[in-house]
Amino acid sequence: MKKIFITTAIAALLSVNVFAADGGKRVDGGTNVSYVALHGFTVDFADAKDVNWTVTKNCQKATFTVDGVKKTAFYNLNGEFLGVTQRVDVKAIPAKTLKQIEKDYKGYEIAEVIVYQANTEVNDTIDPTSYFVDLKNDAHEVLVRITQQANLEFFQQVK
């Protein structure tokens, strides 16, 4: 009985040392991703394929494919899930907002539409679902945001 206890204690000690040696981070392709983000991603997106992680000074993101759809999941530096994005068809934009885009951004073409589904448990002041529309013309490119209430907001000048 004493040998089993000692063996178990040594195994547990070695496991803790191995985990602590990398500071709770796992290296994927040269990028440090927090253990919390990796674990959360594995639970939330168990069917994910072709996963690639990127860590910036502001967040950790995983680009992956599920059921043939390319998505990107975002985590803060503490590993908390912030939300997920994916490209969607222009038809996903509410008709009212599409007319507003045509009026306010005459001469621009819609390049792509991305839907962002936020984790409101981490930030309850953000809309649960927002659409980001990339608009381009010959000289400029802008990003606009469509809120949950179908309101159109300028988000960012791209070029």
Side-chain angles (χ1 to χ4, degrees):
M1 181 73 170
K2 190 174 183 180
K3 286 183 183 181
I4 293 174
F5 176 76
I6 292 173
T7 304
T8 305
I10 291 172
L13 205 63
L14 288 174
S15 297
V16 170
N17 285 339
V18 168
F19 178 74
D22 70 354
K25 307 271 183 178
R26 183 173 137 189
V27 177
D28 284 359
T31 304
N32 288 330
V33 180
S34 74
Y35 172 80
V36 175
L38 282 170
H39 178 70
F41 178 82
T42 303
V43 170
D44 293 340
F45 304 100
D47 296 335
K49 307 264 188 268
D50 304 321
V51 181
N52 291 305
W53 284 91
T54 305
V55 179
T56 68
K57 65 180 182 176
N58 299 319
C59 73
Q60 305 172 84
K61 73 176 184 175
T63 305
F64 59 99
T65 305
V66 172
D67 297 328
V69 178
K70 189 172 183 178
K71 298 183 178 196
T72 303
F74 294 88
Y75 295 83
N76 66 19
L77 296 178
N78 294 326
E80 296 172 306
F81 177 64
L82 300 174
V84 65
T85 63
Q86 74 180 54
R87 288 183 182 168
V88 294
D89 193 80
V90 174
K91 295 174 188 173
I93 299 173
K96 168 190 162 188
T97 311
L98 197 52
K99 287 181 183 179
Q100 189 69 38
I101 290 172
E102 290 170 358
K103 178 183 169 198
D104 293 353
Y105 294 92
K106 191 174 225 85
Y108 283 81
E109 290 185 23
I110 296 175
E112 71 178 329
V113 180
I114 296 175
V115 63
Y116 176 67
Q117 296 168 317
N119 180 3
T120 55
E121 292 176 15
V122 173
N123 182 357
D124 63 358
T125 63
I126 193 168
D127 285 342
T129 303
S130 298
Y131 293 88
F132 291 90
V133 183
D134 186 26
L135 301 169
K136 295 180 179 182
N137 68 15
D138 292 337
H140 301 285
E141 182 176 0
V142 296
L143 196 59
V144 295
R145 177 177 173 258
I146 302 170
T147 66
Q148 187 84 13
Q149 297 76 28
N151 295 325
L152 182 66
E153 302 173 346
F154 173 81
F155 186 75
Q156 178 179 342
Q157 183 80 34
V158 178
K159 153 178 119 168

